[in-house]
Amino acid sequence: LSQPERWELGLKEFRTGTEGLGAKSAPLKPGFMRTAGFACTSLHFLPAYRSKAGFRLLGRQVLEGRRTWVIGFAQRPENALVIGRFDVGGRSTPVLVQGVAWVDPETCQILRMRTDLLISPPKTRLGQQTTEIRFGEVRFQEVPVSMWLPAEVTVTVQWKGRLLRNRHVYSDYRLFNVEAEEKRKAALPPSPAE
C-alpha cells in the first residue's frame, strides 16, 4: 500500500488471507526467521531517496540475454532514510545497506538487485544480511502498463553464529482496487427560533 508521508513515499507491505483480511503470522519455531518488505527495496532509486545514497556506474553486463548497466549504491549514514529493519525479541533496529542493481538501459527497469549490510547494527550480533531479488515483468488487464515486481527473493542472514536463509517465489500477482462512495443527507433548514 502506498501511504504518502511528509518526506517519503511510505510503502507498507503486508500479507492477506484468501478472504482479503490481514493474515495472522504464526509464531516462529526456534531456528527460523520471517522476512518481508521486498516491494520497498528499489526505493533507493526514487528521486525522493536518491540524495540519501551514493551511486556509481560499475560497468555493463549481459544478464539473461539482456544488456544491463551495473550500478553500485550505498546509503549515506548521515542522512539515510531507513528502508530496512532487523526485528528480534520485540526490538527493532534500523538497517542501512549497500548494493548492486542491474538496470535495463532502454527501459530503466531494475532487473536484479543485491543488497548487503552497510554497517552491522550495534548490539544485534547480525553479521550478514544479504538480499538477492530477481524482478519480473507483470501485466494486469486493468492497467495498460507493465510493472516490474519481485519474482524471486533469497535472504541470507548470519545471526548469533547461525546461518539462516529464506527463499520467496512470487507468482499470480493480482491487482486490488477499492472504491468508496459517500452519501450525505441534505441539511435541514434552520427553524424560525434559530
Side-chain angles (χ1 to χ4, degrees):
L1 291 177
S2 174
Q3 297 177 326
E5 297 174 1
R6 290 177 296 133
W7 46 267
E8 64 180 290
L9 180 61
L11 287 179
K12 181 178 180 184
E13 180 180 318
F14 65 95
R15 295 181 169 126
T16 62
T18 54
E19 298 81 31
L21 306 171
K24 299 276 188 210
S25 298
L28 289 175
K29 295 178 183 175
F32 288 87
M33 70 174 175
R34 183 172 292 121
T35 52
F38 311 113
C40 300
T41 307
S42 59
L43 289 179
H44 300 288
F45 290 84
L46 287 179
Y49 285 78
R50 274 198 305 249
S51 65
K52 311 301 182 191
F55 295 87
R56 177 166 293 177
L57 179 62
L58 302 176
R60 293 169 175 75
Q61 183 178 359
V62 175
L63 182 68
E64 297 175 9
R66 297 175 83 149
R67 293 178 325 134
T68 65
W69 289 329
V70 183
I71 300 172
F73 64 95
Q75 288 185 279
R76 294 187 171 126
E78 66 274 9
N79 68 350
L81 295 176
V82 176
I83 293 175
R85 303 197 78 73
F86 180 72
D87 299 335
V88 67
R91 296 179 61 207
S92 184
T93 304
V95 173
L96 300 179
V97 298
Q98 59 187 336
V100 179
W102 288 262
V103 179
D104 184 316
E106 294 177 20
T107 64
C108 295
Q109 295 295 335
I110 298 171
L111 305 177
R112 188 170 289 177
M113 182 181 284
R114 175 190 167 125
T115 63
D116 289 282
L117 288 176
L118 178 65
I119 303 165
S120 183
K123 300 179 184 174
T124 61
R125 297 178 65 188
L126 181 62
Q128 173 192 354
Q129 181 177 298
T130 301
T131 303
E132 298 174 88
I133 304 175
R134 183 178 55 80
F135 293 89
E137 186 176 16
V138 177
R139 294 183 183 271
F140 298 102
Q141 289 181 340
E142 303 88 351
V143 180
V145 296
S146 62
M147 296 181 190
W148 284 78
L149 301 170
E152 184 177 343
V153 178
T154 302
V155 181
T156 306
V157 170
Q158 184 182 8
W159 177 62
K160 294 172 87 173
R162 290 183 276 173
L163 190 65
L164 304 165
R165 181 170 289 132
N166 278 0
R167 182 171 173 259
H168 303 261
V169 178
Y170 298 88
S171 64
D172 232 6
Y173 277 102
R174 306 245 167 105
L175 190 62
F176 292 92
N177 186 27
V178 176
E179 293 183 21
E181 185 178 305
E182 183 177 359
K183 292 184 180 181
R184 294 183 183 201
K185 293 182 180 180
L188 297 174
S191 65
E194 293 177 356

